[in-house]
Amino acid sequence: MLVLLAGIFVVHIATVIMLFVSTIANVWMVGSSYYATISTGLWLLCNGTCTELPVSSQDEASLKAVQAFMILSIIFSVVALVLFIIQLFTLEKGKRFYMTGAVMLVCWMCILIAVSIYTARFTHTVAFATNPHHGYWEWGRITLLRELLGQ
């Protein structure tokens, strides 16, 4: 049982760290241009140097919603971690962590909503880029890896 609780604690810590990194990082969409790799996140557009993300007036509300849901997911994740630690020392042996689970479900729902809005509204918004895609990897690297692996 102690190993299971330690594993859950590690998952909570990893969730908080990944949420911070994914919210702060400017690589939600990545594309390549003639000069460099272009990447956009929730806050900045990076093309050699980073500038404020240019957003049209019709997409501004959607971007603000994505930013808000990602920040809410971080808050709920931290609250779930604190609740888990509190419940770990206050619950009787054999009791369930229903409150922690419920708060984590709300956190995951916020992430799902944020990513869904971003995917629906901002998938092809990397200006002047070829092969736009989600994440850190450039398309050329993925193609090279596939060739090396024989797939």
Side-chain angles (χ1 to χ4, degrees):
M1 185 65 166
L2 187 60
V3 173
L4 179 65
L5 291 174
I8 292 170
F9 181 73
V10 169
V11 168
H12 275 283
I13 296 293
T15 301
V16 170
I17 291 170
M18 286 188 292
L19 280 173
F20 270 109
V21 169
S22 66
T23 303
I24 294 169
N26 290 314
V27 289
W28 282 52
M29 289 298 297
V30 179
S32 46
S33 71
Y34 182 73
Y35 300 107
T37 300
I38 301 172
S39 62
T40 63
L42 298 180
W43 317 98
L44 299 173
L45 168 69
C46 295
N47 185 9
T49 60
C50 294
T51 59
E52 187 176 336
L53 187 64
V55 181
S56 66
S57 59
Q58 66 184 19
D59 288 337
E60 187 174 0
S62 298
L63 183 65
K64 296 290 183 194
V66 172
Q67 291 170 345
F69 276 114
M70 287 304 293
I71 291 171
L72 279 173
S73 70
I74 290 172
I75 292 169
F76 283 124
S77 181
V78 170
V79 167
L81 176 63
V82 170
L83 265 175
F84 177 75
I85 293 170
I86 290 170
Q87 288 180 336
L88 188 61
F89 294 110
T90 59
L91 285 179
E92 296 176 21
K93 189 175 182 179
K95 294 289 183 176
R96 309 268 187 225
F97 292 88
Y98 289 126
M99 288 296 294
T100 302
V103 174
M104 275 311 271
L105 284 174
V106 173
C107 167
W108 294 333
M109 188 61 70
C110 288
I111 295 168
L112 181 66
I113 292 169
V115 171
S116 297
I117 294 171
Y118 190 87
T119 302
R121 299 295 295 221
F122 301 103
T123 300
H124 299 290
T125 59
V126 182
F128 308 111
T130 58
N131 298 324
H133 59 280
H134 296 281
Y136 285 93
W137 287 87
E138 292 181 39
W139 188 254
R141 291 182 189 165
I142 293 173
T143 306
L144 179 63
L145 281 174
R146 286 184 181 160
E147 289 175 5
L148 291 173
L149 296 174
Q151 295 178 349

